[in-house]
């Protein structure tokens, strides 16, 4: 089975721009979660999607948004980029039971200049 | 609120020696606990999990973890460390059901350095 894929792997943007990151989950996984990883804040939960619905959202400003498509692929969008948005953005997919582990993609490294 | 603490920023161990990476947790209700490893410029790889049952959980690459309810700990262990085990290790707990099944709360991470 193919793993979680994320595109692009690296991205450089300037302040004020917007960016869209894409995630394809493992086949059959309907839950997709997004995390932000920074040296200062560590790993922080952004949001989770299941069946095209956002089920949970972390403590991030409204500039961070996401969506999920009918094939379970997910995108996240960050508008009006700030320098502090520079981070590794990780996508994870899982089956829908509470004891199932999440499988992570390689991440998208976003640099905001 | 659920939380996880990894008290050591870095653990150094000689190759061939046993290793322990510490994790303590605070949850309401039954804990669902996980260990992940991250290699440079990579995503997180799942190592093992504790849901219920035996307190000693065996996982990938020879790792195991011991769940201790009275001490609220879930330490990661390996009997004999390899240089290739050098990486960043994260302990995580699933948030409460009201927080969503797939929201993980991560510790700050522990960097493991295995020296030849």
């Amino acid at each position: 089975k193919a793993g979680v894929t994320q595109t692009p792997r690296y991205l450089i943007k300037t302040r004020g721009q917007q960016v869209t990151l894409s995630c394809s989950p493992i086949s059959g996984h309907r839950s997709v979660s997004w995390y932000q990883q920074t040296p200062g804040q560590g790993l922080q939960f952004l949001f989770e999607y299941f069946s095209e619905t956002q089920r949970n959202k972390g403590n991030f400003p409204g500039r961070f948004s996401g969506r999920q498509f009918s094939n379970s692929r997910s995108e996240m969008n960050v508008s009006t980029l700030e320098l502090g948005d520079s981070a590794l953005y990780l996508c994870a997919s899982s089956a829908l039971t509470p004891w199932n582990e999440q499988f992570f993609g390689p991440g998208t490294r976003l640099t905001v200049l | 609120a659920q939380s996880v603490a990894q008290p050591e920023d870095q653990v150094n161990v000689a190759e061939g020696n046993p290793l322990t990476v510490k994790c303590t947790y605070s949850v309401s209700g039954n804990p669902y606990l996980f260990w992940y490893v991250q290699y440079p410029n990579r995503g997180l790889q799942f190592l093992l999990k504790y849901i219920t049952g035996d307190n000693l959980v065996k996982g990938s690459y020879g790792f195991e973890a011991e769940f201790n309810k009275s001490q609220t700990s879930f330490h990661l262990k390996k009997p004999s460390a390899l240089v290739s085990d050098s990486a960043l290790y994260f302990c995580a707990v699933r948030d409460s059901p009201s927080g969503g099944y797939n929201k993980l709360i991560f510790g700050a991470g522990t960097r493991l350095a295995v020296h030849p």
Side-chain angles (χ1 to χ4, degrees):
Chain A
K1 234 180 205 183
V4 178
T5 58
Q6 292 187 246
T7 56
R9 291 292 312 277
Y10 302 91
L11 209 47
I12 299 175
K13 293 285 187 180
T14 56
R15 279 181 300 174
Q17 288 186 309
Q18 75 165 15
V19 66
T20 298
L21 312 181
S22 181
C23 171
S24 293
I26 291 172
S27 177
H29 285 183
R30 295 165 63 194
S31 171
V32 174
S33 299
W34 289 87
Y35 295 84
Q36 182 197 63
Q37 185 178 21
T38 60
Q41 299 299 315
L43 279 156
Q44 294 186 287
F45 173 81
L46 279 157
F47 26 64
E48 180 205 358
Y49 286 88
F50 174 75
S51 289
E52 304 176 62
T53 300
Q54 186 182 90
R55 297 205 305 171
N56 199 4
K57 191 179 192 312
N59 189 24
F60 280 83
R63 300 185 296 107
F64 291 80
S65 62
R67 59 178 176 169
Q68 187 180 34
F69 302 95
S70 58
N71 62 358
S72 294
R73 190 177 69 84
S74 177
E75 289 181 347
M76 68 163 282
N77 183 276
V78 188
S79 62
T80 319
L81 284 166
E82 300 177 0
L83 295 179
D85 297 334
S86 295
L88 181 67
Y89 290 89
L90 294 164
C91 167
S93 75
S94 71
L96 196 63
T97 52
W99 51 84
N100 275 101
E101 58 273 25
Q102 294 184 42
F103 294 90
F104 285 79
T108 295
R109 172 76 61 186
L110 172 64
T111 302
V112 182
L113 302 176
Chain B
Q2 323 284 64
S3 66
V4 171
Q6 293 181 243
E8 302 156 317
D9 290 336
Q10 178 150 336
V11 170
N12 297 295
V13 65
E15 188 174 31
N17 283 0
L19 70 87
T20 298
V21 182
K22 296 180 180 177
C23 171
T24 58
Y25 65 89
S26 174
V27 302
S28 54
N30 294 321
Y32 288 0
L33 297 159
F34 303 83
W35 274 102
Y36 286 86
V37 60
Q38 186 176 36
Y39 295 96
N41 300 315
R42 304 282 294 276
L44 275 64
Q45 294 180 30
F46 169 74
L47 284 177
L48 52 78
K49 64 183 176 185
Y50 174 82
I51 304 301
T52 186
D54 290 341
N55 290 340
L56 186 64
V57 179
K58 293 191 182 297
S60 306
Y61 314 119
F63 284 94
E64 57 189 29
E66 186 172 7
F67 172 72
N68 188 316
K69 188 172 183 178
S70 63
Q71 297 185 5
T72 61
S73 66
F74 188 55
H75 300 332
L76 181 70
K77 301 182 178 186
K78 188 174 183 182
S80 179
L82 300 172
V83 172
S84 58
D85 292 330
S86 298
L88 189 56
Y89 290 79
F90 290 97
C91 181
V93 63
R94 184 181 68 86
D95 200 359
S96 62
S98 62
Y101 289 155
N102 289 317
K103 177 182 178 180
L104 291 177
I105 309 297
F106 285 91
T110 298
R111 187 162 301 281
L112 173 68
V114 182
H115 305 285

